[in-house]
């Protein structure tokens, strides 16, 4: 991939993030003029809580930042998992972490803990998400070697089990709790808070740094595990580290916003055409692309049927499912040709 | 002094304890029928499969306690095949050989760039450096794999059947290149199925049978009718090609009547 093309892609992505951010803040039931964004933010920070300042500072800005951070997290996770599994159709769903986290969060709602303790839902999602990944990883690891096919199959099986448990809990729940669960299961960004922004920012930036450090090893692992070990890549350790961080990141995202699917699948796939498969470009590009996709999807979710607000997970699923089928179709054609 | 020394290296239950040592500047052929343990031995030496016993030493240094990265500075390894769908250019692929020597932030410094450039030049790939691996032939891909091993700057190269998927032109081409590398001081160990090429291009041969070391020595001492009959179950005739003056083998399946004469 030519250096010039990579540079222009990054310029376009940064401009895209700025535009998406401005749109997300300005457009809504209550319009905010562009020139008012900075003064309203300053007013909110300095404690002058006018209506406009509250809308920008307390509602739209944290919502935008959560969208940007979760989008970045999901897309980079997708890029990393696609390298680890050597499968361009992998995304956070495949290692079961999404469904595991969802099950954990649903359990805390069902048990009534989440209503009284704010930390309960994120912690529940996090514990179950990590628990599922550890279980799947142990199932697929024999003699200190992880069989990726076994990992994928175990992921499918455990995800199905988690989904079954979620359905069971839903069907046994009273109507009001069920509504809360369904709303959360579909993934949404409403009610995003500054504390969530802070939590996500810490995890997302720390993970990005680690992903960039192991980026070269991920590049090499795409050539095959034996090749990678031959040049000195500690393949097993990189796999553990990548899967662990991906699980952590997705669990934090799911505990904050609910299940948002397909971002991790679409974004890295689209950007490979522009920046290539080298992870030192693909990871930051995916972070920016994911941020753009989720913030624009949220805008669509908020405005498409205004005043009714959709869950952002519905929008990403509507985009992602046809894209997944398109990928499947492309691969089948490639197989037929070969 | 031996460059590579194997002391009771085993990979139970596939490979029995094996002891051998090899000097630099030689091409060593690893031969044996299918399932004899050739690939397993190579993978055990390089550490891809943790040995169930014994020790591997390069230049007197035991590789047992070394990390994969440290180990790669002593031994480079090329697996049987290089996938066709690798999404990198030849230069990017060869540069991966620098992983054990360069941290990511220094991989593009002059020294590392030079090492990659030299490896590409040595394997005649300079003109293809920026071409995607997907667009070159199988033989050129194999050359790129060897160039990647050279960029690793390790004194020992282990190649698992480097010519098995190539046409005869590239088979001869790769083996000729390996001889040149041995002349430059590298120790090249290749698993090879083609007995005639092993006879012609190797300095010494390790013969494996059923996971055991059958024999090890110079090609002249190892390639005997008895060895070929007992290990490969073929009736062999060794002769020198009158046109090219290469050692040749005429092989035929061992008949039922021949099996009684195969005692070593």
């Amino acid at each position: 991939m030519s250096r010039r093309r990579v540079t222009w892609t990054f310029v376009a992505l940064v401009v895209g993030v700025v535009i998406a951010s401005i749109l997300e803040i300005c457009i809504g039931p209550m319009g905010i003029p562009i020139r008012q964004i900075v003064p309203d933010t300053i007013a909110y920070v300095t404690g002058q809580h006018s209506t406009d300042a509250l809308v920008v500072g307390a509602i739209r800005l944290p919502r935008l930042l959560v969208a940007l951070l979760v989008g970045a997290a999901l897309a980079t996770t997708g890029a990393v998992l696609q390298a680890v599994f050597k499968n361009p159709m992998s995304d956070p769903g495949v290692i079961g972490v999404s469904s595991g986290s969802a099950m954990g969060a649903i359990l805390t709602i069902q048990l009534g803990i989440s209503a009284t303790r704010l930390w309960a839902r994120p912690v529940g999602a996090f514990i179950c998400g990590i628990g599922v990944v550890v279980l799947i990883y142990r199932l697929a690891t024999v003699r200190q070697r992880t069989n990726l096919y076994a990992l994928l199959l175990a992921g499918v099986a455990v995800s199905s089990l988690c989904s079954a448990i979620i359905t069971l809990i839903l069907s046994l729940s009273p109507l009001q709790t069920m509504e809360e669960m369904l709303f959360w299961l579909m993934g949404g960004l409403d009610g995003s808070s500054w504390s969530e922004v802070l939590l996500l920012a810490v995890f997302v930036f720390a993970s990005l740094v680690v992903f960039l450090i192991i980026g070269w090893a991920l590049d090499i692992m795409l050539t095959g595990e034996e090749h990678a070990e031959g040049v000195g890549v500690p393949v097993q350790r990189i796999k553990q580290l990548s899967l662990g961080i991906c699980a952590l990141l997705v669990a934090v995202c799911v505990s904050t916003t609910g299940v948002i699917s397909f971002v991790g699948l679409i974004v890295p796939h689209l950007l490979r055409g522009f920046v290539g498969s080298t992870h030192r470009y693909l990871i930051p590009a995916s972070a920016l692309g994911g941020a753009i996709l989720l913030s624009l999807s949220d805008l669509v979710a908020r405005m498409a049927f205004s005043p009714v607000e959709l869950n952002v997970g519905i929008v990403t699923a509507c985009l992602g499912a046809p894209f997944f089928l398109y990928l499947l179709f492309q691969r089948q054609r490639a197989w037929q040709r070969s | 002094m031996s460059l590579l020394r194997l002391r009771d290296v085993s990979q139970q239950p596939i490979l029995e304890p094996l002891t051998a040592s090899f000097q630099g500047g030689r091409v060593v052929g690893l031969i044996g029928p299918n399932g004899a343990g050739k690939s397993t031995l190579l993978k055990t030496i390089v550490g891809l499969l943790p040995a169930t016993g014994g020790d591997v030493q390069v230049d007197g240094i035991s590789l047992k306690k070394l990390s994969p990265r440290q180990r790669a500075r002593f031994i480079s390894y090329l697996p049987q095949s290089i996938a066709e769908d690798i999404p990198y250019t030849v230069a990017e692929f060869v540069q991966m050989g620098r992983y054990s020597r360069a941290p990511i932030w220094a991989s593009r410094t002059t020294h590392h760039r030079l090492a990659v450039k030299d490896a590409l030049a040595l394997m005649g790939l300079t003109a293809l450096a920026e071409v995607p691996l997907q667009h070159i032939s199988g033989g050129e891909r194999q050359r790129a794999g060897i160039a990647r091993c050279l960029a690793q700057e390790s004194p020992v190269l282990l190649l698992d059947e480097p010519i098995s998927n190539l046409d005869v032109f590239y088979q001869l081409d790769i083996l000729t290149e390996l001889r040149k590398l041995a002349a430059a001081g590298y120790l090249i160990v290749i698993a090879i199925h083609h007995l005639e090429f092993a006879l012609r291009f190797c300095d010494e041969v390790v013969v494996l049978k059923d996971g055991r070391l059958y024999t090890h020595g110079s090609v002249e001492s190892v390639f005997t009718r008895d060895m070929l009959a007992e290990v490969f179950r073929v009736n062999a005739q060794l002769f020198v090609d009158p046109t090219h003056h290469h050692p040749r083998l005429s092989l035929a399946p061992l008949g039922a009547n021949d099996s009684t004469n195969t005692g070593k």
Side-chain angles (χ1 to χ4, degrees), chain A residues 79-110:
Chain A
V80 170
L81 289 175
Q82 284 162 19
V84 171
F85 286 103
K86 276 196 80 185
N87 183 343
M89 293 168 93
S90 302
D91 88 333
V94 298
I95 51 170
V97 65
S98 301
S99 49
S101 298
M103 185 182 73
I106 293 291
L107 272 172
T108 62
I109 298 172
Q110 167 70 10

Coordinates of all heavy atoms in Angstrom, one line a residue, chain A residues 79-110:
Chain A
A79 N -10.1 -6.0 14.4 CA -8.9 -6.1 13.6 C -7.9 -7.1 14.2 O -7.3 -7.9 13.5 CB -8.2 -4.7 13.5
V80 N -7.8 -7.0 15.6 CA -6.8 -7.9 16.3 C -7.3 -9.4 16.2 O -6.5 -10.3 15.9 CB -6.7 -7.5 17.7 CG1 -5.9 -8.5 18.5 CG2 -6.0 -6.1 17.8
L81 N -8.6 -9.6 16.4 CA -9.1 -11.0 16.4 C -9.0 -11.6 15.0 O -8.8 -12.8 14.8 CB -10.6 -11.0 16.9 CG -10.8 -10.7 18.4 CD1 -12.3 -10.7 18.7 CD2 -10.1 -11.8 19.2
Q82 N -9.2 -10.8 14.0 CA -9.1 -11.3 12.6 C -7.7 -11.7 12.3 O -7.5 -12.7 11.6 CB -9.6 -10.2 11.6 CG -11.1 -10.1 11.6 CD -11.6 -8.7 11.0 OE1 -10.9 -8.1 10.3 NE2 -12.8 -8.4 11.3
A83 N -6.7 -11.0 12.9 CA -5.3 -11.5 12.8 C -5.0 -12.7 13.6 O -4.4 -13.7 13.1 CB -4.4 -10.4 13.2
V84 N -5.5 -12.8 14.8 CA -5.2 -13.9 15.7 C -5.9 -15.2 15.1 O -5.3 -16.3 15.0 CB -5.8 -13.7 17.1 CG1 -5.7 -15.0 17.9 CG2 -5.0 -12.6 17.8
F85 N -7.1 -15.1 14.6 CA -7.8 -16.2 14.0 C -7.5 -16.4 12.5 O -8.0 -17.4 12.0 CB -9.3 -16.1 14.2 CG -9.8 -16.3 15.6 CD1 -10.1 -15.2 16.4 CD2 -9.9 -17.5 16.1 CE1 -10.6 -15.3 17.7 CE2 -10.3 -17.7 17.4 CZ -10.6 -16.6 18.2
K86 N -6.7 -15.5 11.9 CA -6.5 -15.6 10.5 C -7.8 -15.8 9.7 O -7.9 -16.5 8.8 CB -5.5 -16.8 10.2 CG -4.1 -16.4 10.3 CD -3.2 -17.4 9.7 CE -3.1 -17.1 8.2 NZ -2.4 -18.2 7.4
N87 N -8.8 -15.1 10.2 CA -10.1 -15.2 9.6 C -10.7 -13.8 9.5 O -11.0 -13.2 10.5 CB -11.0 -16.1 10.4 CG -12.3 -16.4 9.8 OD1 -12.8 -15.6 8.9 ND2 -13.0 -17.4 10.2
P88 N -10.9 -13.3 8.3 CA -11.5 -11.9 8.1 C -12.9 -11.8 8.6 O -13.4 -10.7 8.6 CB -11.3 -11.6 6.6 CG -11.3 -13.0 6.0 CD -10.7 -13.9 7.0
M89 N -13.6 -12.9 8.9 CA -14.9 -12.8 9.3 C -15.1 -12.9 10.9 O -16.2 -13.0 11.4 CB -15.8 -13.9 8.6 CG -15.8 -13.6 7.2 SD -16.4 -15.0 6.2 CE -18.1 -14.5 6.1
S90 N -14.0 -12.8 11.6 CA -14.0 -12.8 13.0 C -14.4 -11.5 13.6 O -14.1 -10.5 13.0 CB -12.7 -13.2 13.6 OG -12.3 -14.4 13.1
D91 N -15.1 -11.5 14.7 CA -15.4 -10.2 15.4 C -15.6 -10.6 16.9 O -15.5 -11.8 17.3 CB -16.5 -9.4 14.8 CG -17.9 -9.8 15.3 OD1 -18.0 -11.0 15.8 OD2 -18.8 -9.0 15.3
P92 N -15.8 -9.6 17.8 CA -15.8 -9.9 19.2 C -16.8 -11.0 19.6 O -16.6 -11.7 20.6 CB -16.1 -8.6 19.9 CG -15.6 -7.6 18.9 CD -15.8 -8.2 17.6
G93 N -17.8 -11.2 18.8 CA -18.8 -12.2 19.1 C -18.3 -13.6 19.0 O -18.7 -14.5 19.8
V94 N -17.2 -13.8 18.2 CA -16.7 -15.2 18.0 C -16.1 -15.8 19.3 O -16.1 -17.0 19.4 CB -15.7 -15.4 16.9 CG1 -16.4 -15.0 15.6 CG2 -14.5 -14.6 17.1
I95 N -15.5 -15.0 20.1 CA -14.9 -15.6 21.3 C -15.9 -15.6 22.5 O -15.5 -16.0 23.6 CB -13.5 -14.9 21.7 CG1 -13.7 -13.4 21.8 CG2 -12.4 -15.3 20.8 CD1 -12.5 -12.7 22.5
G96 N -17.1 -15.3 22.2 CA -18.2 -15.5 23.2 C -18.2 -14.4 24.2 O -19.1 -14.4 25.1
V97 N -17.3 -13.4 24.1 CA -17.3 -12.4 25.2 C -18.6 -11.5 25.2 O -19.1 -11.2 26.3 CB -16.0 -11.6 25.1 CG1 -15.9 -10.8 23.9 CG2 -15.8 -10.7 26.3
S98 N -19.1 -11.3 24.0 CA -20.3 -10.4 24.0 C -21.5 -11.1 24.7 O -22.1 -10.4 25.5 CB -20.7 -10.1 22.5 OG -19.6 -9.5 21.8
S99 N -21.7 -12.3 24.3 CA -22.9 -13.0 24.9 C -22.6 -13.3 26.4 O -23.5 -13.2 27.2 CB -23.2 -14.3 24.2 OG -22.0 -15.0 24.0
G100 N -21.4 -13.6 26.8 CA -21.0 -13.8 28.2 C -21.3 -12.5 29.0 O -21.9 -12.6 30.1
S101 N -20.8 -11.4 28.5 CA -21.0 -10.1 29.2 C -22.5 -9.8 29.3 O -23.0 -9.3 30.3 CB -20.3 -9.0 28.5 OG -18.9 -9.2 28.4
A102 N -23.2 -10.0 28.2 CA -24.7 -9.7 28.2 C -25.4 -10.6 29.2 O -26.2 -10.1 30.0 CB -25.2 -10.1 26.8
M103 N -25.0 -11.9 29.3 CA -25.6 -12.7 30.3 C -25.3 -12.2 31.7 O -26.2 -12.2 32.6 CB -25.0 -14.1 30.2 CG -25.7 -15.2 31.1 SD -24.9 -16.8 30.9 CE -23.3 -16.5 31.7
G104 N -24.1 -11.7 32.0 CA -23.7 -11.2 33.3 C -24.6 -10.0 33.7 O -25.1 -9.9 34.8
A105 N -24.7 -9.1 32.7 CA -25.5 -7.9 32.9 C -27.0 -8.2 33.2 O -27.6 -7.7 34.1 CB -25.4 -7.0 31.7
I106 N -27.5 -9.1 32.4 CA -28.9 -9.5 32.5 C -29.2 -10.2 33.9 O -30.2 -9.9 34.6 CB -29.3 -10.6 31.4 CG1 -29.3 -9.9 30.0 CG2 -30.7 -11.2 31.6 CD1 -30.4 -8.9 29.8
L107 N -28.2 -10.9 34.3 CA -28.3 -11.6 35.7 C -28.4 -10.5 36.8 O -29.2 -10.6 37.7 CB -27.1 -12.5 35.9 CG -27.2 -13.9 35.4 CD1 -25.9 -14.6 35.6 CD2 -28.3 -14.7 36.2
T108 N -27.6 -9.5 36.6 CA -27.6 -8.4 37.7 C -29.0 -7.7 37.7 O -29.5 -7.3 38.7 CB -26.5 -7.4 37.5 OG1 -26.6 -6.7 36.3 CG2 -25.1 -8.0 37.7
I109 N -29.5 -7.5 36.4 CA -30.9 -6.9 36.4 C -31.9 -7.8 37.0 O -32.8 -7.4 37.8 CB -31.2 -6.5 34.9 CG1 -30.2 -5.6 34.3 CG2 -32.6 -6.0 34.8 CD1 -30.4 -5.3 32.8
Q110 N -31.9 -9.1 36.6 CA -32.8 -10.0 37.1 C -32.8 -10.1 38.7 O -33.8 -10.2 39.3 CB -32.6 -11.4 36.5 CG -33.3 -12.6 37.1 CD -34.8 -12.5 36.8 OE1 -35.3 -11.7 36.0 NE2 -35.5 -13.4 37.5

